[in-house]
């Protein structure tokens, strides 16, 4: 068994912010469109978020990062790296962080790169930022998990593929509202879900996505983390897992020994869908909005391909002032303009004109 | 797309950066090099906060080619808190729900993409305010 990961210098979250577009597509719209409503009693979620015509991972990352900056209260130029984790970057070549950094006045003395690891690209960015701050290459780094995910029309994934995510400013532990106690990352070659270059929609292995992929990787990363930190599930106030639907995170929580009470905040997929690289991390922002000094939080992502990053976070007394400095995650989740399937298909370029 | 022009205007488009007259304090947006009040040519950059109220608006159903994918959309005249009136798209609201006098806040959105291969232009738009922050 490998040891847990912990930087040489203690690191934490100095600021955080969420973003979810205002539009919602009810799952019943998809069911009625493709299955004549036959599966209306078995829908994986109630509704999913849909980005407006003028939104993409860059614009959404800008708003989440603005909220993170407000909570961090640092000068933007103190940030020395921007890593954006996503599978839906607007450009194939030109990092999303360049525009985010320009708009937020963070540039030019930074590193910036796009991260990709399906739904765990956001926590991958957090890991990189933790290492970067932990080795004192810089004092602050911006790590983002954000997606505008697409499923093929009529495919099972179309019910849940959604838009949203979160941004985190990582910094020294003494400035943090939540300190990283340790992390553990677990990766294998598991082809449960993938998208080849130039393909618009991903492929997935149906039954292959559950047991050997999602459940296996999350339980491995979390068990190793708990063992390494000598902690048990009851030592945590709250936990959040990647949310491809509502059932999977509930089931993996149960398998690992976490209660319903521990996952009552942050389980947002029923209201906004699966926001891919944004999924587990936007859940974390909702938990932080409801947290208090001394709370311990478990964050465990899952990315197809496959891998999982697990983190243990200890909330500090800086949380109280930080929370109210920016809109809450539920302020974004609760707003909604319903769209029908036709408008959604047009906005998401699902109608090919030529 | 004229990439050099697009790039030169980014302070204005990304951060609502206008000018403040060094002689009389008058603010301008879009930035003007000669003060409209006192004709002074001395000014410094000034970033607007991006909060305002909708003065009036029109819904666009027939748009130039590059904006055509986004119709219908709303173009508003917005009175910024700082006392300057600007023109901008109003987003995240259906045409039938727009109300004159509504509180708006600046957001950065895609203005248009130059086809499937060209650059994507980002800039300010305004949306109904998400939440009034007291701090
Ligand atoms: Zn003047």
């Amino acid at each position: 068994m490998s040891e847990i990961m912990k930087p040489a210098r203690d690191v934490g979250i100095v600021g955080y912010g969420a973003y979810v577009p205002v539009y919602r597509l009810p799952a019943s719209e998809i069911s009625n469109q493709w299955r004549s409503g036959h599966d209306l009693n078995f829908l994986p979620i109630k509704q999913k978020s849909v980005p407006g015509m003028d939104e993409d991972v860059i614009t959404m990352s800008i708003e989440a990062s603005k909220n993170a900056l407000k909570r961090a209260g640092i000068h933007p130029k103190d940030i020395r790296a921007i890593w954006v984790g996503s599978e839906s970057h607007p450009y194939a070549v030109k990092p999303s962080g360049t525009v985010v950094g320009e708009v937020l006045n963070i540039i030019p003395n930074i590193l910036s790169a796009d991260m990709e690891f399906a739904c765990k690209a956001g926590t991958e960015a957090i890991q990189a930022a933790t290492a970067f701050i932990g080795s004192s290459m810089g004092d602050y780094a911006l790590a983002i998990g954000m997606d505008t995910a697409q499923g093929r029309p009529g495919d099972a994934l179309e019910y849940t593929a959604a838009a949203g995510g979160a941004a985190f400013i990582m910094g020294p532990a003494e400035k943090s509202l939540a300190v990283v106690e340790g992390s553990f990352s677990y990766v294998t070659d598991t082809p449960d879900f993938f998208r080849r270059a130039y393909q618009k929609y991903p492929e997935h292995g149906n039954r292959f996505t559950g047991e050997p992929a999602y459940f296996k990787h999350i339980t491995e990363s979390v068990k190793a983390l708990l063992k390494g930190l000598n902690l048990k599930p009851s030592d945590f106030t709250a936990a959040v897992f990647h949310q491809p639907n509502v059932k999977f995170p509930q089931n993996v929580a149960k398998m690992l020994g976490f209660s319903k009470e521990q996952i009552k905040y942050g389980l947002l997929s029923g209201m906004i869908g699966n926001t891919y690289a944004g999924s587990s991390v936007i859940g974390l922002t909702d938990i932080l909005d409801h947290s208090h000094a001394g709370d311990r939080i478990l964050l465990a992502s899952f990315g197809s391909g496959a891998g999982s990053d697990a983190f243990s976070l200890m909330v500090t007394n800086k949380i109280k002032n930080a929370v109210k400095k920016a809109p809450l995650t539920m302020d974004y989740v609760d707003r909604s303009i319903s769209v029908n399937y036709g408008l959604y298909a047009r906005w998401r370029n699902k109608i090919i004109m030529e | 797309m004229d990439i050099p022009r697009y790039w030169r205007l980014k302070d204005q488009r990304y951060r609502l950066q206008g000018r403040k007259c060094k002689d009389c304090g008058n603010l301008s947006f879009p930035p003007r090099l000669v003060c409209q009040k006192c004709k002074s040519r001395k000014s410094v950059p000034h970033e607007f906060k991006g909060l305002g109220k909708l003065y009036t608006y029109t819904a666009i159903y027939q748009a130039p080619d590059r904006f055509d994918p986004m119709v219908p959309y709303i173009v508003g005249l917005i009175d910024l808190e700082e006392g300057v009136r600007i023109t901008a798209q109003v987003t995240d609201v259906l045409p039938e729900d727009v109300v004159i006098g509504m509180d708006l806040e600046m957001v950065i959105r895609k203005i248009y993409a130059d086809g499937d291969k060209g650059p994507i232009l980002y800039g300010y738009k305004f949306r109904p305010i998400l939440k009034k922050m007291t701090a």
Side-chain angles (χ1 to χ4, degrees):
Chain A
M1 178 61 69
S2 311
E3 287 182 24
I4 58 155
M5 297 156 127
K6 197 163 166 50
R9 159 167 91 148
D10 282 335
V11 173
I13 297 167
V14 175
Y16 66 93
Y19 184 75
V20 185
V22 68
Y23 302 101
R24 301 284 180 272
L25 178 70
S28 57
E29 280 284 316
I30 298 172
S31 170
N32 288 328
Q33 182 70 31
W34 293 104
R35 311 239 195 305
S36 306
H38 273 239
D39 52 352
L40 279 172
N41 293 327
F42 312 97
L43 298 177
I45 58 171
K46 178 171 171 264
Q47 58 184 13
K48 69 172 186 172
S49 58
V50 176
M53 282 287 293
D54 58 0
E55 297 189 277
D56 63 20
V57 162
I58 287 178
T59 65
M60 292 161 58
S61 295
I62 288 166
E63 182 153 348
S65 302
K66 261 187 197 175
N67 290 335
L69 269 167
K70 283 180 193 163
R71 289 200 171 100
I74 61 167
H75 192 283
K77 301 266 189 225
D78 289 339
I79 292 174
R80 301 301 300 275
I82 303 177
W83 286 307
V84 185
S86 181
E87 63 133 61
S88 41
H89 290 285
Y91 289 95
V93 178
K94 175 172 167 56
S96 297
T98 57
V99 184
V100 175
E102 179 80 53
V103 170
L104 299 178
N105 200 23
I106 296 169
I107 57 132
N109 300 330
I110 57 162
L111 278 166
S112 183
D114 290 342
M115 296 254 174
E116 192 282 308
F117 198 140
C119 298
K120 91 166 185 83
T123 54
E124 189 83 25
I126 292 176
Q127 284 288 44
T130 301
F132 180 78
I133 308 304
S135 68
S136 296
M137 278 182 71
D139 276 336
Y140 299 97
L142 177 56
I144 299 166
M146 193 68 68
D147 257 310
T148 57
Q150 290 256 41
R152 180 175 285 109
D155 186 274
L157 288 178
E158 194 187 24
Y159 285 96
T160 52
F168 299 87
I169 296 171
M170 307 302 290
E174 63 273 17
K175 304 278 175 66
S176 296
L177 51 83
V179 174
V180 178
E181 294 186 305
S183 63
F184 193 89
S185 294
Y186 182 88
V187 169
T188 70
D189 170 14
T190 306
D192 57 317
F193 167 105
F194 47 85
R195 177 164 61 83
R196 295 276 302 276
Y198 309 112
Q199 294 300 304
K200 182 168 177 175
Y201 300 115
E203 300 296 325
H204 58 92
N206 284 313
R207 292 184 169 279
F208 201 35
T209 57
E211 288 306 326
Y214 181 90
F215 293 100
K216 165 81 176 163
H217 290 77
I218 290 182
T219 52
E220 290 287 348
S221 69
V222 171
K223 280 179 182 168
L225 179 73
L226 296 186
K227 185 166 185 245
L229 288 171
N230 200 20
L231 292 170
K232 51 192 186 304
S234 58
D235 294 324
F236 290 82
T237 316
V240 62
F241 304 93
H242 173 54
Q243 301 166 25
N245 47 41
V246 179
K247 265 191 198 147
F248 275 29
Q250 287 173 335
N251 290 349
V252 83
K254 201 172 171 190
M255 283 166 68
L256 285 163
F258 289 87
S259 68
K260 279 189 178 156
E261 181 69 14
Q262 285 168 299
I263 58 167
K264 73 173 176 181
Y265 294 121
L267 185 46
L268 306 175
S269 51
M271 300 299 291
I272 61 171
N274 175 5
T275 57
Y276 284 53
S279 178
S280 57
V281 290
I282 194 173
L284 173 62
T285 65
D286 182 42
I287 290 175
L288 288 170
D289 281 346
H290 293 95
S291 69
H292 303 92
D295 285 358
R296 180 177 279 127
I297 303 168
L298 177 82
L299 162 68
S301 64
F302 169 73
S304 291
S308 172
D309 301 314
F311 302 78
S312 178
L313 298 158
M314 176 56 73
V315 178
T316 76
N317 58 14
K318 291 194 165 46
I319 190 72
K320 200 173 172 218
N321 278 324
V323 168
K324 58 191 177 198
K325 286 182 180 161
L328 304 176
T329 300
M330 290 311 290
D331 291 329
Y332 287 100
V333 172
D334 284 341
R335 63 188 192 141
S336 123
I337 298 176
S338 271
V339 296
N340 60 31
Y341 194 88
L343 192 60
Y344 158 78
R346 182 188 144 202
W347 279 3
R348 300 301 284 143
N349 285 319
K350 288 174 190 292
I351 302 170
I352 308 300
M353 307 275 214
E354 53 199 67
Chain B
M1 186 186 294
D2 180 353
I3 293 180
R5 180 183 143 81
Y6 157 85
W7 186 77
R8 262 197 326 275
L9 292 176
K10 62 185 170 10
D11 286 341
Q12 179 181 330
R13 280 204 340 271
Y14 286 175
R15 295 200 290 276
L16 273 187
Q17 192 183 91
R19 306 290 297 183
K20 181 177 185 174
C21 174
K22 278 180 91 171
D23 288 319
C24 77
N26 186 47
L27 299 171
S28 66
F29 191 94
R32 291 176 191 274
L33 293 176
V34 179
C35 176
Q36 282 187 297
K37 260 197 182 151
C38 76
K39 306 298 172 207
S40 167
R41 287 176 174 275
K42 283 181 269 176
S43 65
V44 290
H46 178 87
E47 268 181 38
F48 288 82
K49 280 189 291 182
L51 296 171
K53 282 184 191 298
L54 185 62
Y55 173 71
T56 189
Y57 71 96
T58 182
I60 308 286
Y61 291 90
Q62 297 283 337
D65 279 356
R66 63 169 61 147
F67 294 110
D68 189 58
M70 307 228 188
V71 295
Y73 60 86
I74 299 178
V75 174
L77 284 178
I78 296 142
D79 287 331
L80 297 179
E81 262 188 15
E82 294 90 339
V84 172
R85 181 171 294 167
I86 71 167
T87 306
Q89 277 190 43
V90 180
T91 190
D92 283 5
V93 59
L94 302 175
E96 57 267 34
D97 295 329
V98 181
V99 179
I100 285 176
M102 70 198 300
D103 286 309
L104 302 173
E105 64 186 331
M106 190 261 272
V107 289
I108 298 298
R109 293 294 170 88
K110 272 194 290 191
I111 306 297
Y112 61 86
D114 191 4
D116 286 336
K117 294 178 184 167
I120 304 165
L121 182 81
Y122 296 94
Y124 59 82
K125 291 189 183 181
F126 281 74
R127 70 148 179 236
I129 195 163
L130 176 81
K131 187 182 196 182
K132 278 199 176 163
M133 304 302 295
T134 45

